[in-house]
Amino acid sequence: MWRDWLREQIDEIDRRGLYRRRRIVEGPQGGEVIVDGRRLVNFCSNDYLGLANHPSVVRAFRESAERYGVGAGAAHLVCGHGRAHHALEEELAEFIGRERALLFSTGYMANLGVISALVGRGEEVFEDRLNHASLLDAARLSDARLRRYPHADSAALKRELNASAGKRCLIATDGVFSMDGDLAPLPALAALAKQSGAWLMVDDAHGLGTIGDGGRGSLARFGLTQDDVPVLVGTLGKAFGTFGAFVAGSADLIEYLIQRSRTYIFTTALPPAVAEATRASLHLAREESWRREKVNALVSRFRTGAAQIGLRLMASDTPIQPVVVGDNETAVRASEVLLSAGFLVAAIRPPTVPVGTARLRVTFTAEHTEAQVDRLLEALTRLLPGISAGDRSEQAMTAGMSAFSAGVSG
Ligand SMILES: *Cc1c(COP(=O)(O)O)cnc(C)c1O
């Protein structure tokens, strides 16, 4: 019975064009990666600053492993909280301009642990519809009532807040939306939070390191402070090139989370070498602003080139530059065609994105060259008839599909 059920589920996933496959990557991350023995230009990594394989980050990791060993041995509250973790927390707090920071093992766990510690039954969490899955799951785990407002629609949020029962409310949003690349309307959200007495939490997984003054993320972009956004979550596996996450805020927020956040308390601390490697990458992210400038220049080059060939992009000025295709099958086929042309570009389908908005999620890093961007644009030009990006009417999609098939076979 179980065996049949599993097989039926998998077949159904496949029928709906949602089957996911893993590719085996050999060697390190970079502008190019080796996949199944082939060297491909990598346009789907979140290693935006190109730090995942930076020699000083690798050296910090190796030296730390020699000094501290590999495993942390226990949770932070038992005997796993080491000198390296503590130093990283202090440096992160200082970088982001907040009283304190607290390390979590992953961004997913940080979101689960923060939201479920801050709200519970009878309280409400307001979330953007396009928030990362971990924020949505966190609200579910908390037992608070989850209310999702239309993407970036602060007017709709205002109506919902007005209608809320007046309990403790939390507004949670991505800073930079992970699959769209656009920014949340943070000043409007912060103003609404203040008016209604709600707390605002921003998950800036894709903004930290990449945007804002000194790479301080979407809050810096808008000039918002700890007072405007009391809860800030950052991840370390993206622009910082390592692994893990942190929450930053007031000393009391952090002290409370240490006492109450279950995904902080009941899990093994990160390997100390990961913390030391992150200290090195944080240093590079702060000191080498050319990395941010380079990614931004590549993004501009891509957007200018896309406009010239008539490829419609989303309203994003971050390293995330999705090309919306519409249906799952077209997205997967476009990704396969790009693969055969030597480009690794992920096809992103539901439930990661809403139904009917499957896309090629193109990302840029400081490791890319202008020539690689130009070659990607050439490859996209050949696919263009099939990926009528932005126009999601049924007619356009049908036309797009057949033109795409012609483009693929031709
Ligand atoms: C990637 C991501 C996470 C999860 O972070 P991990 O450290 O990979 O678990 C959380 N929120 C957002 C917005 C993300 O993009």
Side-chain angles (χ1 to χ4, degrees), residues 233-246:
V233 170
T235 64
L236 305 172
K238 287 161 184 162
F240 297 109
T242 60
F243 188 77
F246 68 95

Side-chain angles (χ1 to χ4, degrees), residues 70-402:
V70 176
H76 285 276
L77 290 178
V78 182
C79 61
H81 185 66
R83 178 59 57 202
H85 300 114
H86 205 74
L88 175 59
E89 286 182 345
E90 288 174 351
E91 286 163 12
L92 285 167
E94 195 266 322
F95 168 62
I96 216 69
R98 293 185 169 230
E99 291 169 17
R100 280 185 77 183
L102 185 68
L103 280 180
F104 279 74
S105 293
T106 70
Y108 202 121
M109 289 172 67
N111 284 335
L112 293 188
V114 170
I115 293 186
S116 60
L118 289 177
V119 290
R121 192 177 299 281
E123 286 150 356
E124 292 182 290
V125 184
F126 296 83
E127 296 205 18
D128 189 292
R129 263 192 196 288
L130 297 189
N131 270 359
H132 189 264
S134 56
L135 284 170
L136 297 165
D137 292 354
R140 293 193 185 103
L141 180 67
S142 74
D143 273 340
R145 183 166 202 153
L146 170 61
R147 298 191 182 275
R148 300 173 75 179
Y149 55 90
H151 180 51
D153 189 343
S154 51
L157 172 62
K158 183 174 186 175
R159 286 192 295 276
E160 291 190 30
L161 279 167
N162 287 341
S164 87
K167 311 230 173 66
R168 264 184 326 117
C169 293
L170 182 69
I171 304 166
T173 182
D174 284 23
V176 172
F177 286 88
S178 54
M179 297 299 137
D180 291 56
D182 59 336
L183 272 76
L186 293 181
L189 299 184
L192 276 178
K194 280 206 176 133
Q195 278 163 28
S196 62
W199 252 23
L200 179 58
M201 163 175 177
V202 172
D203 170 356
D204 211 15
H206 299 273
L208 284 171
T210 62
I211 64 169
D213 182 37
R216 287 180 185 78
S218 44
L219 273 61
R221 170 76 75 91
F222 291 116
L224 298 173
T225 63
Q226 181 174 298
D227 183 47
D228 301 306
V229 181
V231 189
L232 174 66
V233 170
T235 64
L236 305 172
K238 287 161 184 162
F240 297 109
T242 60
F243 188 77
F246 68 95
V247 182
S250 70
D252 278 352
L253 171 71
I254 299 308
E255 203 49 51
Y256 174 77
L257 292 174
I258 292 172
Q259 310 306 320
R260 279 292 158 79
S261 180
R262 294 172 63 85
T263 59
Y264 180 76
I265 299 169
F266 297 107
T267 200
T268 302
L270 284 174
V274 170
E276 283 295 350
T278 308
R279 294 180 69 192
S281 72
L282 177 62
H283 181 78
L284 289 165
R286 297 182 73 163
E287 297 300 312
E288 300 191 350
S289 54
W290 64 264
R291 295 179 179 276
R292 256 181 308 285
E293 286 151 21
K294 183 167 173 204
V295 188
N296 287 334
L298 293 172
V299 167
S300 302
R301 188 178 186 91
F302 179 69
R303 291 190 68 87
T304 306
Q308 280 162 2
I309 63 172
L311 177 69
R312 263 204 272 169
L313 299 174
M314 303 186 83
S316 160
D317 63 355
T318 67
I320 304 168
Q321 293 292 326
V323 177
V324 173
V325 166
D327 74 294
N328 303 336
E329 210 59 49
T330 312
V332 172
R333 290 179 62 189
S335 167
E336 281 166 0
V337 173
L338 289 173
L339 189 71
S340 60
F343 302 99
L344 191 58
V345 180
I348 307 284
R349 292 162 284 171
T352 312
V353 293
V355 171
T357 69
R359 66 199 63 184
L360 296 168
R361 180 177 180 267
V362 179
T363 54
F364 296 97
T365 78
E367 295 283 285
H368 289 129
T369 63
E370 292 185 345
Q372 287 169 335
V373 173
D374 294 347
R375 278 167 44 217
L376 175 67
L377 280 164
E378 278 163 34
L380 287 169
T381 308
R382 290 196 294 276
L383 290 180
L384 197 55
I387 48 176
S388 48
D391 187 351
R392 286 174 224 150
S393 68
E394 201 172 318
Q395 227 176 1
M397 278 320 304
T398 317
M401 265 300 267
S402 46

